[in-house]
Amino acid sequence: MADKIQVKVPDIGDFDEVEVIDVLVAEGDSVEAEDGLITLETDKAAMDVPAPQAGKVLSLKVASGDKVSEGTVIAELEAVEGSESAQDKGSDEPSGSDDSDTDEDQSQPASDATEEATPAGEKQEVEVTVPDIGDFDEVELIDVLVAEGDEVEEEQGIVTLETDKAAMDVPAPHAGTIKSLKVKAGDKVSQGSVVAVMEAVVGGVEPEHSASESEPKKADKPESPKPGQDKKSEPTGDAGGGTDKGLDRGSLQAIDESGFAKAHASPSVRKFARELGADLVKIHGSGYKGRITHDDVKKWVKSQLRGAGGGAGLPQVPDIDHSKFGDVERVPLGRIKKISGPRLQASWVNAPHVTQHDEADITKMDAVRKALKSDAEAMGTKMTPLAFIMKACVHALREFPDFNSSLDPDGEHLVMKKYFHLGFAADTPNGLVVPVIRDVDDKSVFDVARELGELAEKARNGKLQQKHMQGACFTVSSLGGIGGTAFTPIVNAPEVAILGVSKAEMKPVWNGQDFEPRLTLPLSLSYDHRVIDGAAAARFTRYLADVLGECRNLVM
Ligand code: COA
């Protein structure tokens, strides 16, 4: 029959009445040996109380906010039959969380250096071997971090191993000199494989002690962490390991080790963050008193994958603690901004942008618009310059088909579009959206104006559906109703160009004899320079300005 085990708070040093800040499991959960069950926090450290062996959580005896001390029963566990418990390793304490057990278990030096005990200060050759790396075997060695002859510090990483779950450094068991390396990048290693031989000064062992000591490793045993506390020398993804590179290798930025050590997070969250290469320094804690939770780490990693943190391989913007300089408030980004931000960034970093500025004389066009205004109003439609501008864009796109294309992902073809679906940027209380008017070429200026109004209203009311925002070939972003003289819109990739429109102003224009008042519309065309040349962009905007100026074929 399966054993029932009471899991108790182990020796937590001088602390008493310590707060439970997190309960990491629920009743009925299955847990592995050493999985954290609850997290305690003193004013000095957070620590998990781990499961003494694999099993099922029958009942929880504590909740977040409770105070516990050594010996407090926190949960009842039904142990999996045959699973090895901590007490199997030498303790009578049924909770399995006895300090001495976990010392034995956790304080094993990260590298199983097989040196003989020697008098303090004597140099000797020490093999650096792969320590216990859990269930992994034949793990790939992805990096050798030192060279023969190098002086290394104790705990400095010698090689880096990578499993499908984590990267981990094998640290030097002592300070010393690397005499020879026994491995190279690409080799496969397992627990006990010798990776290097070093000459080290192994100190602190009294000769008479070593004579009677059957376990020479203990002579060099680092101070034992308390159960579940950060295991600085443990060679899992969360190993400090001196030169720990965690999973930052490649795309993620290096972890700020001193900041990481001080971060307000439980050991299980630290371990989790290590496994994902997430730097706790950069993560905002949403838990009690700003504690970083598993969810915070997940969200941060997701945001990095989306590119919010600068994206893979991009230099990062300095992460500044603004509160050092004055009062601040942290408010969440709106949903639309969270979606559009990474897309804008993707376009900005992928497409080399150039913006071509020009002006169109829309005096005639505006007269036509005003003449149609009352008819439009009778139809319940507002006739703004934008409807004319969109119609004019179709003419320019027909004339310059490259502007109505997308760069094929192979980078060697253009996908030429034979349709004219135009997007327009709409400012809404929740952020910027881009509804699409389909087949603008087939529609009259009245139809376009009506659809503009309908879609803009839907956008403002948050009623746009996916189908309203798909399929655009080219986008117009009009700030004409607000003001400004020019701006540099970001191409709505994979489109290759976007037209920015600013506020039309009456300007004095020289006609050869006099200055004439002309209504002048500023145009700002941003384009993807991989597809569009500067000369083509200048021709496109000039052509567009002419079409608008002459108000040619814009109404029907
Ligand atoms: N020059 C001068 N006046 C202009 C103008 C221009 N280029 N464009 C519009 N106007 C006038 C309109 O005629 C209207 O005046 P009226 O009420 O006297 O007729 C007024 O400005 C307001 O127009 P608006 O309601 O903005 O309509 P619109 O059709 O021009 O634009 C939207 C509709 C949805 C595009 C617009 O409301 C919007 O959201 N613009 C912001 C887009 C944006 O944020 N772009 C930035 C992306 S980076």
Side-chain angles (χ1 to χ4, degrees), residues 322-481:
H322 305 280
S323 64
K324 283 200 292 203
F325 307 105
D327 252 8
V328 292
E329 186 190 354
R330 204 164 170 277
V331 294
L333 266 186
R335 195 182 64 85
I336 292 179
K337 281 209 169 74
K338 280 194 216 155
I339 296 168
S340 63
R343 288 192 188 155
L344 288 166
Q345 187 180 20
S347 173
W348 184 251
V349 299
N350 283 296
H353 277 65
V354 181
T355 306
Q356 171 71 21
H357 299 283
D358 208 333
E359 290 179 340
D361 177 345
I362 59 163
T363 316
K364 186 170 166 190
M365 186 208 92
D366 206 48
V368 175
R369 179 183 76 88
K370 282 186 176 134
L372 298 177
K373 225 175 153 189
S374 51
D375 284 352
E377 269 164 20
M379 293 190 259
T381 300
K382 190 169 164 189
M383 186 62 75
T384 66
L386 187 54
F388 286 83
I389 293 165
M390 293 184 88
K391 286 290 293 174
C393 285
V394 171
H395 290 271
L397 291 170
R398 271 198 211 284
E399 187 70 16
F400 299 92
D402 282 1
F403 288 76
N404 194 13
S405 74
S406 282
L407 190 58
D408 191 277
D410 72 6
E412 294 181 5
H413 297 86
L414 283 183
V415 179
M416 309 298 293
K417 295 158 203 170
K418 312 287 180 185
Y419 48 84
F420 299 90
H421 305 336
L422 301 197
F424 65 97
D427 182 34
T428 77
N430 296 322
L432 183 73
V433 288
V434 184
V436 179
I437 303 183
R438 299 178 94 84
D439 302 311
V440 176
D441 54 323
D442 285 344
K443 291 177 177 162
S444 72
V445 78
F446 289 100
D447 295 334
V448 174
R450 183 180 41 76
E451 265 195 65
L452 263 171
E454 288 169 1
L455 288 169
E457 184 166 346
K458 275 199 171 77
R460 280 191 289 270
N461 298 333
K463 294 265 160 44
L464 281 181
Q465 297 168 11
Q466 269 303 315
K467 63 176 183 192
H468 297 128
M469 295 184 280
Q470 286 173 340
C473 324
F474 180 85
T475 297
V476 180
S477 175
S478 173
L479 294 173

